[in-house]
């Protein structure tokens, strides 16, 4: 039998020199069930996976779909062409091997524009073009529609993040190579726009983005910087209403993140099944006076997170009054009062309006006022008086909000209680999941 060698055994007694042959069954990786191999491969990084595909034809067939499933391109940073280089090489690979496109479910850091020089040089051999060593009149550039046509073949693409922080060429009003996103065969479930195009590029993007959000009718997760120009146009007496422009956008949207109030003004409405809001990089004034009136129109929101480190005190009660279905709350704010004032007075006053609240995370909340007998943020070890104070406060919060199950203080002490027990227990670091884009990368 292949893979078997004799095992030498020496029993005790007179037969000490006798041998008994028993087979040793050797198990090779390729002999394992394919489901187990696939599960194992999900723990490997892309470099290791690439090496794994070169081990054998069988391993190449098994690992290639995983290698191309989630593609992370280098970030498009100022002065670096590495992201452009890798993007061009990806497109060239898909031209030579079109069957790989069906494996792609997620792409991160896709550049908003392509550097024509990189793409042309990389594609010259594929399209029979000449280089600059030949006559200048024989220089043939890459057909401009090739990149977008290649991307149209990624019909299983479900998650995409676009890097708009650096632009290597002008952004055309039709979307340029991103025009493939208007193809009905491309059905994204999550879309992230990193950065905001500036000046003329910003105007062209604001013309393209509405068509994009109209075409992507399956989108459930959106992180977008905003449409301040569109909002100003509708507010300046133009013969167009904002709701008429945006009513057809992303009808299945569940999670919305943004850095500007305009994106929430465009998309916060009762006809979308919104569940989670994340407002970051804004002032507390903008949350209180601009976002809260919009939240009152969407009673289905169950998760809210914000990052606001400037402006006067946020009216937390006003915010929570606008979120009657809230279950998850995560605040990263700068308090203008002491911790004692916030946890003993302001927070209890606000919790009375959210009887469904289950999880509160204030680990990134800080106070600009010194002096407190409640929290010691520089020491997280055992401290009986602090633990007693926190447990006492949580008992009060639990009475006002019976559904409350987990709470994280600014000193990162995590407390939990079961659904049948009123007693709170301090736990090691507990990660309470907040709705995010990664759940949409499965390609389903």
């Amino acid at each position: 039998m292949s893979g078997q060698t004799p095992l030498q055994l020496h029993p005790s007694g007179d037969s000490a020199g006798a041998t008994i042959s028993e087979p040793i069954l050797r198990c090779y990786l390729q002999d394992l069930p394919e489901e187990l191999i696939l599960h194992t491969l999900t723990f490997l990084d892309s470099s290791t996976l690439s090496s794994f595909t070169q081990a054998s034809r069988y391993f190449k067939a098994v690992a290639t779909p995983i290698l191309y499933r989630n593609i992370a391109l280098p970030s498009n940073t100022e002065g670096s062409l590495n992201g452009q280089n890798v993007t061009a090489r990806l497109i060239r690979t898909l031209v030579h091997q079109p069957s790989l496109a069906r494996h792609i479910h997620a792409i991160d850091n896709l550049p908003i524009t392509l550097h024509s020089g990189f793409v042309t040089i990389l594609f010259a051999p594929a399209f029979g073009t000449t280089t600059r060593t030949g006559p200048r009149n024989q220089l043939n550039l890459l057909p401009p529609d090739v990149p977008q046509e290649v991307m149209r073949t990624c019909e299983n693409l479900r998650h995409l993040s676009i890097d708009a922080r650096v632009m290597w060429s002008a952004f055309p009003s039709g979307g340029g190579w991103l025009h493939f996103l208007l193809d009905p065969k491309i059905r994204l479930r999550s879309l992230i726009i990193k950065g905001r195009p500036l000046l003329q590029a910003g105007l062209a993007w604001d013309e393209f983005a509405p068509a994009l959000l109209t075409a992507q009718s399956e989108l459930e997760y959106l992180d977008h910087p905003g449409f301040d120009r569109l909002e100003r146009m509708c507010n300046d007496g133009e013969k167009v209403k904002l709701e008429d422009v945006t009513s057809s956008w992303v009808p299945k949207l569940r999670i919305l993140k943004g850095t500007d109030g305009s994106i929430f003004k465009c998309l916060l409405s009762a006809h979308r099944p919104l569940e989670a809001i994340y407002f970051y990089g804004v002032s507390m004034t903008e949350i209180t006076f601009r976002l809260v009136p919009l939240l009152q129109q969407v009673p289905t929101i169950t998760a809210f997170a914000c990052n606001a480190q400037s402006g006067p005190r946020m009216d937390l009660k006003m915010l929570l009054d606008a979120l009657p279905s809230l279950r998850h709350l995560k605040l990263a704010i700068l308090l203008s009062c002491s911790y004692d004032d916030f946890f003993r007075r302001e927070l209890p006053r606000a919790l009375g309006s959210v009887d469904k609240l289950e999880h509160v995370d204030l680990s990134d909340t800080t106070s600009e006022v010194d002096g407190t007998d409640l929290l010691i943020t520089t020491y997280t070890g055992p401290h009986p008086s602090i633990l007693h104070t926190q447990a006492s406060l949580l008992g009060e919060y639990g009475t006002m909000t019976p559904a409350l199950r987990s709470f994280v203080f600014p000193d990162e002490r995590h407390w939990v209680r079961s659904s049948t027990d009123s007693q709170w227990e301090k736990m090691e670091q507990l990660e309470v999941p907040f709705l995010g884009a990664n759940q949409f990368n499965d390609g389903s």
Side-chain angles (χ1 to χ4, degrees), residues 206-252:
D206 281 357
E207 294 178 7
F208 173 70
L212 168 61
L213 296 182
T214 300
Q216 293 301 325
S217 58
E218 299 296 314
L219 203 65
E220 297 182 43
Y221 178 103
L222 177 63
D223 184 347
H224 194 287
F227 297 97
D228 54 339
R229 296 181 183 87
L230 174 62
E231 185 184 14
R232 287 199 301 268
M233 180 186 73
C234 295
N235 290 339
D236 289 343
E238 297 283 346
K239 295 180 180 180
V240 59
K241 294 183 178 179
L242 188 62
E243 55 269 23
D244 293 338
V245 177
T246 62
S247 60
S248 62
W249 295 2
V250 288
K252 297 182 179 181

Side-chain angles (χ1 to χ4, degrees), residues 304 306 314 316 319 329-333 361-365:
F304 178 86
C306 73
M314 178 177 64
L316 185 60
L319 173 64
L329 177 65
K330 182 178 178 64
L331 299 180
I333 58 177
D361 185 348
L362 302 175
S363 57
D364 294 320
T365 290

Side-chain angles (χ1 to χ4, degrees), residues 159-412:
H159 165 79
L160 177 66
S161 71
I162 298 174
D163 195 339
R165 291 170 291 190
V166 177
M167 303 185 65
W168 298 102
S169 60
F171 185 80
S173 58
W177 87 298
L178 296 183
H179 192 271
F180 79 93
L181 293 171
L182 305 186
D183 192 310
K185 292 180 296 186
I186 304 297
R187 300 182 299 276
L188 297 178
R189 294 184 64 196
S190 67
L191 174 64
I192 299 173
I193 311 297
K194 298 180 179 180
R196 183 200 298 268
L198 302 175
L199 302 176
Q200 293 301 318
L203 295 174
W205 172 259
D206 281 357
E207 294 178 7
F208 173 70
L212 168 61
L213 296 182
T214 300
Q216 293 301 325
S217 58
E218 299 296 314
L219 203 65
E220 297 182 43
Y221 178 103
L222 177 63
D223 184 347
H224 194 287
F227 297 97
D228 54 339
R229 296 181 183 87
L230 174 62
E231 185 184 14
R232 287 199 301 268
M233 180 186 73
C234 295
N235 290 339
D236 289 343
E238 297 283 346
K239 295 180 180 180
V240 59
K241 294 183 178 179
L242 188 62
E243 55 269 23
D244 293 338
V245 177
T246 62
S247 60
S248 62
W249 295 2
V250 288
K252 297 182 179 181
L253 190 66
R254 293 171 46 212
I255 304 171
L256 178 60
K257 298 176 66 175
T259 60
D260 186 273
S262 61
I263 187 66
F264 297 97
K265 187 169 184 179
C266 290
L267 295 176
L268 278 179
S269 64
H271 76 272
R272 294 185 180 89
L274 281 161
E275 300 174 11
I277 298 295
Y278 186 10
F279 202 14
Y280 58 97
V282 296
S283 70
M284 288 180 277
T285 302
E286 193 167 10
I287 292 176
T288 301
F289 296 103
R290 190 175 188 188
L291 184 61
V292 166
L294 299 174
L295 293 174
Q296 293 171 343
Q297 306 174 29
V298 191
T300 58
I301 294 174
T302 60
F304 178 86
C306 73
N307 185 322
Q309 300 293 324
S310 63
R313 178 183 300 189
M314 178 177 64
D315 192 328
L316 185 60
K317 186 178 188 308
M318 182 185 295
L319 173 64
L320 298 189
D321 284 346
L323 299 166
S325 301
L326 190 66
R327 294 174 54 206
H328 298 259
L329 177 65
K330 182 178 178 64
L331 299 180
I333 58 177
L334 177 63
L335 301 175
S336 57
C337 60
S338 69
Y339 286 126
D340 283 355
D341 286 341
F342 179 78
F343 284 99
R344 295 182 188 277
R345 284 177 280 277
E346 186 169 346
L347 185 57
R349 185 174 68 93
L351 289 177
S353 57
V354 281
D355 56 359
K356 299 178 182 179
L357 187 63
E358 298 179 11
H359 308 286
V360 176
D361 185 348
L362 302 175
S363 57
D364 294 320
T365 290
T366 58
S367 173
E368 61 183 3
V369 179
D370 294 330
T372 176
D373 61 1
L374 171 63
L375 303 167
I376 299 180
T377 58
T378 59
Y379 177 67
T380 58
H383 197 294
S385 64
I386 290 180
L387 297 180
H388 175 76
T389 304
Q390 292 185 357
S392 176
L393 284 172
L394 290 172
E396 179 184 350
Y397 300 161
T399 301
M400 292 182 294
T401 311
L404 193 61
R405 294 290 171 262
S406 71
F407 198 101
V408 186
F409 283 93
D411 59 0
E412 298 187 358

